[in-house]
Amino acid sequence: MTSTYRVQLTPDFGFAEVAGLVGYLRELGIGHLYLSPILQAVCDSRHGYDVVDHGGVRAEFGGEKGLRELAAAGLPLVADIVPNHMTIPVPESRNAQLWSALRDGPQSPHARWFDFQWPVAFPILDPGDEPYGTAVEVADGVLRYHDHVFPIRPGTEHLPLPELLEAQHYRLVGWRESPGYRRFFDVSSLIGLRAEDPEVFAATHAVTLSLIEDGVLDGLRVDHPDGLADPCGYLRRLRPHVPGPLWVEKILIDGERLPGDWPCDGTTGYDALNMITRLFVDPSGRDALVGTFGRLTGVSDDYEAVRYEAKKHVIELFFRGEVDRLTSDLGDADLGDADPGDADPGKTGLREALVELLVAMPVYRAYVNPGERPLDETVRIIRGAAREAAAHADPDVVAKAADLVLYGPAEAVTRFQQTCGPVMAKGVEDTALYRWYPLACLNEVGGEPDRFGVSVAEFHAFCAGLPPKTMTTLSTHDTKRSEDVRARLAVLSELPGEWAEAVGSWTAEVSFDPRLDYLAWQSLMAVWPISVERFADYLLKAAREAKTAISWMEPDPRYESGLRDFARRAVEVCGPSVASFTALVDRYARVNSLGQKAVQLLMPGIPDVYQGNEITDFSLVDPDNRRPVDFERRRRLLAALDDTWDGQKLLVTTTALKLRQRIDPAGPYVPIATGEHAVAFARGIDRRIDTGTGVSADTSAAVVIATRLPVKLERRGGWGGETIALPPGRWRDLLGGVEHTGRVPMAHLLSRCPVAILEGAPAG
């Protein structure tokens, strides 16, 4: 396997349309086609993660027949699967398993599919309809509330409405209330599945595994494994059925590694994405950018304080029910010397300790299998979180709580772990990263926005530890901003003074909310040109995620109208100045864009190209990054490559992808010494290059050289006399056609393009 190309299937871009791209993708050099979820979702879903029926391939895409025809078109297929949850559709009768469970209660054969608290609370009622208003009625043998439909428990049909409602296996509650089931993050319409149950696993995976057995699918990408009760156990059950690639969408925080006992090929690449982004950021710009951010927003320069408040906020906003359930599960535990003056020393103190422990967790999950001795790393993570939590709650109770989530009741141990991920995702990804953004290219999934840059040596060390078949990526359907947006933003780390002057002038002309304006200006510059509508839609989502003025739960029509007006005025009034500044940035962003692409495509791992990103793409968070792609333009450009940024990026992409097909994907990664302004490495050569053994006689080898920190390079006068020592052998520049040997001047090697991709022949 050499590479993947991720496409987002939609009802108007299904299997037949994707099959029409196969010839283009093969010419591009792609090895595998990587599909968004293919099982039956709600009919109008644009993403496919809201599966409603695991028993069939999605009809809107062309069904199983269309999928098989796509598989026969010439590229092996990898599919995204969603084992953690399925949707609660409207009407609810469209989910057959949920309907059965709600009708027949714990006795239903499908009750085991879901993690229920009986009777099950469903948060759907509008204000004024609580507990029940006139909108709730029995009609046609079912319970109706507007468009919602619920089954009636057999034998209760004759009861008066109030008694009938009380007799059901479920309760309808206000939409702000916590649900009586585990869900995906804070999305009450996505109900968690108990994939740890063998019968549930078999039923929800039957179609997918039969497609693998028939050779229709070659591999899988597992969505959100941290939501599962036992991710490692799940993968151990799945792996024997998947002889091809198996990746997990596991978010690793800075320095974290995938658990060593997981039987999979690696992650979907956010760890690589963040390392590559930092490689092109100048750490010397940190203080100036943080200062500008603080001056214009009034937000603290202490990211950890912002992160703490954001996680506390989302726990009380979204996850009260999860914390209450955890507290109840552990409430009978011996808490030792609780303060006798506390009116409720057990549950009150324990709840506070659990909240602080969840807030202090530095990663999405620390893995504990109930009844087994936790790994030393797991104990270290939870004990470390407990030390931080002890500064905000009773230290003795926090210590006891840490013991309980490591060694306590099995259900509570698992529930704590399943709660950590949602708190991290909503508290950091979807709150803190919208509140603290001195340099927004660092605000990515799994990113640490206060870590400005990494050294070349740190990057080499990271690559040396990567599993050979892990996925690498630069853009996905879930990234906060596309790779070329980040390439532009990275330039600001080298132009902090010029940036401060520009953003100060724009703010003086157009302003709205200081806590959002600075993110708006970074975004406007980095995606320029952009329509007012696209820009306003992004800002509205950003404001709702930040939750400082409005939120998804607390809309404010006056604020939202003002925000849209700000977007319009920013584009109309400051657009020409923004365009001029972006033109300056693009002189250097092109260097970053091409460099990060060459590095990602040839570093260890299996590179993924997100749809359309073989040329420049300036997109923001979804749904902006899921817009239709102009593949005809890309076809034309591939047929006649030009010297534009788009043409150069496409040339780098197709050259690197085709070279990957000629080198050993498990071949060694060998760093090559460079100065500050370049990163270079070799793939497929003998590690002992100093002995002259050089390139293997039976495989190709590659050398990649990418320019970094281009502003500082220009200001120092260019490459001067700097050289690079290539490994022994003859090396052909695939972008320029020139052959090199030995020590080569950087100015000569990179005279036409800021990156070089070299293919080696054996030393002779």
Side-chain angles (χ1 to χ4, degrees):
M1 185 173 196
T2 60
S3 62
T4 63
Y5 191 95
R6 165 81 179 210
V7 293
Q8 288 297 114
L9 297 162
T10 65
D12 48 313
F13 186 68
F15 300 136
E17 288 76 16
V18 175
L21 299 177
V22 168
Y24 162 73
L25 296 177
R26 287 172 64 89
E27 186 180 356
L28 188 63
I30 293 297
H32 277 63
L33 189 55
Y34 166 22
L35 307 175
S36 61
I38 62 171
L39 296 184
Q40 187 62 52
V42 294
C43 61
D44 58 349
S45 173
R46 307 294 294 180
H47 52 75
Y49 291 95
D50 41 5
V51 175
V52 72
D53 179 9
H54 292 85
V57 176
R58 192 167 173 190
E60 293 81 10
F61 297 164
E64 186 170 329
K65 181 177 182 290
L67 178 63
R68 290 180 179 272
E69 291 172 352
L70 173 58
L75 279 178
L77 304 181
V78 172
D80 195 341
I81 62 170
V82 193
N84 175 67
H85 57 268
M86 65 187 304
T87 196
I88 300 176
V90 179
E92 288 72 6
S93 54
R94 292 177 181 170
N95 185 325
Q97 292 78 26
L98 178 64
W99 188 265
S100 167
L102 295 182
R103 182 189 61 215
D104 299 327
Q107 288 71 44
S108 165
H110 297 108
R112 66 195 306 164
W113 279 49
F114 310 106
D115 186 8
F116 282 145
Q117 282 182 297
W118 300 100
V120 186
F122 277 82
I124 63 169
L125 296 178
D126 292 329
D129 287 335
E130 302 175 53
Y132 295 108
T134 57
V136 179
E137 62 179 356
V138 175
D140 302 320
V142 296
L143 188 69
R144 295 185 179 275
Y145 176 71
H146 299 300
D147 293 333
H148 296 275
V149 177
F150 289 87
I152 294 177
R153 181 177 180 175
T156 67
E157 302 91 340
H158 64 285
L159 296 174
L161 183 60
E163 295 176 28
L164 181 146
L165 293 170
E166 290 300 313
Q168 302 312 305
H169 294 294
Y170 54 85
R171 299 286 184 269
L172 305 185
V173 300
W175 67 269
R176 293 177 181 271
E177 298 300 313
S178 298
Y181 49 85
R182 184 174 59 83
R183 56 186 169 171
F184 173 72
F185 294 166
D186 63 327
V187 185
S188 294
S189 62
L190 295 176
I191 186 168
L193 289 169
R194 297 184 65 247
E196 68 274 15
D197 185 295
E199 289 188 20
V200 177
F201 177 92
T204 55
H205 290 71
V207 169
T208 299
L209 298 186
S210 71
L211 291 169
I212 293 175
E213 186 175 352
D214 290 350
V216 178
L217 298 180
D218 189 51
L220 299 175
R221 176 262 199 196
V222 177
D223 181 69
H224 189 46
D226 279 345
L228 302 172
D230 178 10
C232 183
Y234 168 82
L235 291 171
R236 286 174 178 162
R237 182 176 286 124
L238 182 64
R239 176 85 267 188
H241 301 281
V242 188
L246 178 60
W247 293 296
V248 290
E249 188 226 12
K250 166 63 184 169
I251 309 303
L252 300 172
I253 303 301
D254 195 21
E256 186 185 7
R257 292 289 186 177
L258 196 67
D261 58 348
W262 283 21
C264 63
D265 292 302
T267 76
T268 50
Y270 284 104
D271 47 344
L273 180 157
N274 284 301
M275 283 298 293
I276 295 169
T277 296
R278 292 191 200 110
L279 183 63
F280 292 88
V281 168
D282 183 2
S284 68
R286 182 190 194 284
D287 290 348
L289 288 172
V290 172
T292 299
F293 166 73
R295 185 172 64 256
L296 293 178
T297 65
V299 176
S300 166
D301 63 0
D302 183 354
Y303 168 65
E304 287 303 321
V306 173
R307 182 177 179 272
Y308 173 84
E309 291 299 330
K311 292 183 78 174
K312 281 288 288 287
H313 185 183
V314 301
I315 287 175
E316 292 307 313
L317 191 64
F318 301 128
F319 302 118
R320 294 190 308 274
E322 284 81 354
V323 174
D324 290 344
R325 193 168 176 184
L326 260 176
T327 305
S328 177
D329 289 346
L330 297 171
D332 294 331
D334 178 13
L335 295 179
D337 299 326
D339 182 356
D342 190 333
D344 187 0
K347 291 189 177 181
T348 301
L350 180 58
R351 189 186 193 283
E352 182 182 7
L354 286 169
V355 166
E356 295 298 341
L357 197 57
L358 285 166
V359 170
M361 285 292 291
V363 293
Y364 279 71
R365 182 162 175 165
Y367 301 94
V368 184
N369 289 323
E372 299 179 12
R373 178 181 176 182
L375 297 174
D376 291 344
E377 177 65 7
T378 295
V379 175
R380 183 193 67 79
I381 290 171
I382 291 179
R383 295 291 187 215
R387 286 192 294 273
E388 289 194 23
H392 304 280
D394 186 318
D396 291 335
V397 180
V398 169
K400 295 288 186 182
D403 283 340
L404 289 170
V405 301
L406 282 167
Y407 309 109
E411 184 175 345
V413 168
T414 299
R415 193 175 309 285
F416 177 81
Q417 294 181 73
Q418 289 178 298
T419 306
C420 287
V423 170
M424 180 71 87
K426 298 305 299 182
V428 178
E429 283 182 43
D430 293 343
T431 304
L433 295 189
Y434 287 93
R435 294 181 179 183
W436 204 89
Y437 43 83
L439 185 61
C441 63
L442 300 173
N443 290 43
E444 199 45 81
V445 178
E448 294 291 294
D450 59 343
R451 185 177 180 192
F452 281 63
V454 295
S455 67
V456 171
E458 288 175 294
F459 180 76
H460 287 321
F462 171 80
C463 288
L466 281 177
K469 295 182 181 179
T470 193
M471 184 179 281
T472 67
T473 191
L474 289 176
S475 297
T476 78
H477 61 291
D478 276 337
T479 40
K480 301 296 185 186
R481 44 197 59 82
S482 67
E483 59 203 66
D484 294 310
V485 170
R486 295 198 307 276
R488 280 175 166 173
L489 289 167
V491 175
L492 302 185
S493 68
E494 297 191 81
L495 296 172
E498 293 88 339
W499 168 247
E501 182 178 350
V503 75
S505 69
W506 303 332
T507 299
E509 292 200 62
V510 180
S511 62
F512 175 63
D513 180 350
R515 294 167 296 184
L516 186 68
D517 291 359
Y518 187 65
L519 180 63
W521 295 121
Q522 286 188 73
S523 303
L524 185 61
M525 184 282 296
V527 300
W528 187 267
I530 187 173
S531 69
V532 170
E533 183 180 8
R534 268 183 68 205
F535 185 44
D537 286 348
Y538 168 72
L539 293 182
L540 186 58
K541 177 167 183 171
R544 288 169 171 167
E545 299 287 24
K547 308 170 191 66
T548 52
I550 60 172
S551 71
W552 298 102
M553 296 179 70
E554 297 286 350
D556 181 342
R558 289 184 61 186
Y559 182 94
E560 293 166 16
S561 175
L563 186 57
R564 289 193 178 277
D565 184 60
F566 166 81
R568 178 188 58 79
R569 290 185 295 118
V571 171
E572 293 177 356
V573 175
C574 299
S577 176
V578 171
S580 296
F581 191 86
T582 303
L584 167 66
V585 165
D586 280 353
R587 290 167 47 190
Y588 312 105
R590 180 178 66 92
V591 177
N592 293 341
S593 169
L594 300 181
Q596 65 186 11
K597 200 68 173 179
V599 167
Q600 182 245 339
L601 293 177
L602 286 161
M603 69 190 284
I606 305 299
D608 175 57
V609 178
Y610 181 60
Q611 59 178 26
N613 279 258
E614 59 269 33
I615 68 172
T616 58
D617 176 76
F618 300 100
S619 296
L620 295 163
V621 73
D622 70 277
D624 194 63
N625 59 10
R626 301 177 188 180
R627 291 169 295 144
V629 175
D630 185 351
F631 285 107
E632 284 305 313
R633 177 168 180 257
R634 286 157 178 78
R635 279 195 179 98
R636 293 193 301 269
L637 192 56
L638 186 60
L641 293 167
D642 57 33
D643 204 35
T644 62
W645 186 352
D646 281 338
Q648 287 187 323
K649 187 177 180 187
L650 188 56
L651 176 61
V652 167
T653 300
T654 189
T655 300
L657 288 172
K658 290 177 179 177
L659 178 55
R660 282 205 71 107
Q661 296 176 343
R662 301 191 293 271
I663 64 175
D664 180 0
Y669 174 90
V670 181
I672 297 175
T674 61
E676 178 187 14
H677 292 288
V679 58
F681 56 84
R683 301 294 313 280
I685 68 169
D686 193 295
R687 288 185 179 277
R688 297 163 295 164
I689 58 175
D690 57 332
T691 69
T693 53
V695 182
S696 168
D698 56 358
T699 61
S700 285
V703 166
V704 178
I705 304 103
T707 305
R708 59 189 293 268
L709 308 184
V711 177
K712 292 173 70 175
L713 176 64
E714 180 182 80
R715 288 177 176 176
R716 80 169 196 181
W719 293 109
E722 186 173 333
T723 62
I724 186 170
L726 299 177
R730 300 186 306 277
W731 296 91
R732 183 171 180 270
D733 184 345
L734 299 180
L735 302 178
V738 180
E739 189 171 283
H740 303 283
T741 60
R743 186 169 289 277
V744 184
M746 294 289 274
H748 175 57
L749 187 65
L750 303 174
S751 60
R752 295 186 57 188
C753 185
V755 304
I757 299 174
L758 313 179
E759 184 171 12

